[in-house]
Amino acid sequence: MIVVAERINSTRSAIEPALAARDAEFLLDEARRQWQAGSDYLDVNTAKLMEGEEDCMTWLVGLIQEAIPEALIAIDSPNPKALEAGLKAHRGRPLLNSITAESERVEAVLPLIREFQPRVVALTMDDGGLHRDADKRYEIGARLIEMVGEAGIAPEDIFVDPLVFPVGAEDNAGIIALDIMAKLKVAYPGVHTICGLSNVSFGLPLRSQINQVYMVMAMSRGLDAVIIDPLDRRMMANIVTARMLAGDDAACKGFLSAYRDGRLDVVNPAK
């Protein structure tokens, strides 16, 4: 399971002022805690900074990679100029978050993909916006896989997000997203599926409980990358355990390592 850590996002109330003030200590604390929790990528979203976003993205990517040299970043913004700034600043191969099938987005972002060859998140939306229809979202996903592949990105470096809608508004939203994931995995071997998992519980109580159960359900249907808060110890413990039970953890090494490190103790976490 590839974990993309979601906490350095300018839509969070604590993050936007920290970015505006260039609060390196605060932002590095967020980055370090997420990386140490087992993240594979640190998502960096600077979108709320309408003024100076490109400079902030350049600064933040450099700041994190200077302090945590092994860290990889998911460059996340609706602003193609900010994406370009992050891609230029990044050492190693980043994850670009994201491209859609919207014509304006394709025109702006596809050249960046060709130039920088990042791994790519593809969101299943087009000029018609967000689609409730599962077949339409599958078709958009398939189209994006072909498009990004033609830009030189291998299947294993493409992450398709089927868009998870809240079950509080649509009873079958969770199952529909899982069906799209499973269908894409069969049609395009090697391609990853990814989602912003917490969308499923929006508007409901006990969101953490809902998210944790949905995570295990999604893993059983082929989800192999997720955008989550890695500081949720129970969620991370569930991921480690589900990987083992799915046969993706040779000799249970990952599970046993997590046990020895105290990462599976969600009741009495190590200080």
Side-chain angles (χ1 to χ4, degrees), residues 114-221:
R114 291 195 186 98
E115 179 179 355
F116 293 98
Q117 294 290 293
R119 304 184 92 185
V120 179
V121 174
L123 299 181
T124 54
M125 57 185 295
D126 62 8
D127 289 322
L130 299 173
H131 297 276
R132 297 283 178 178
D133 181 76
D135 290 338
K136 181 64 175 177
R137 277 146 64 194
Y138 170 83
E139 183 274 324
I140 294 170
R143 182 154 35 108
L144 284 167
I145 290 168
E146 300 290 345
M147 188 185 304
V148 173
E150 289 172 2
I153 307 302
E156 60 269 21
D157 295 320
I158 301 172
F159 297 72
V160 182
D161 187 338
L163 298 177
V164 179
F165 291 101
V167 293
E170 182 180 349
D171 291 347
N172 294 322
I175 293 297
I176 288 170
L178 298 186
D179 288 344
I180 298 169
M181 292 179 203
K183 188 176 178 182
L184 285 168
K185 297 282 284 187
V186 170
Y188 296 92
V191 166
H192 292 294
T193 52
I194 189 170
C195 70
L197 190 106
S198 61
N199 293 339
V200 75
S201 63
F202 183 79
L204 292 172
L206 299 175
R207 293 190 66 187
S208 181
Q209 167 71 10
I210 297 167
N211 297 343
Q212 288 161 13
V213 173
Y214 190 64
M215 180 75 220
V216 176
M217 291 174 63
M219 289 178 70
S220 74
R221 296 292 297 276

Side-chain angles (χ1 to χ4, degrees), residues 25-85:
E25 183 178 355
F26 177 86
L27 293 165
L28 284 176
D29 180 63
E30 285 279 7
R32 288 192 180 99
R33 289 190 297 139
Q34 291 185 103
W35 190 255
Q36 290 166 1
S39 303
D40 297 287
Y41 290 91
L42 300 174
D43 192 82
V44 166
N45 180 304
T46 54
K48 290 292 289 295
L49 297 183
M50 303 304 292
E51 296 293 329
E53 185 190 359
E54 297 160 44
D55 289 341
C56 185
M57 179 68 82
T58 299
W59 170 78
L60 185 54
V61 169
L63 177 75
I64 292 171
Q65 290 199 305
E66 184 68 28
I68 315 170
E70 68 275 22
L72 297 174
I73 309 295
I75 311 296
D76 184 1
S77 177
N79 178 357
K81 293 294 186 182
L83 291 179
E84 183 177 13

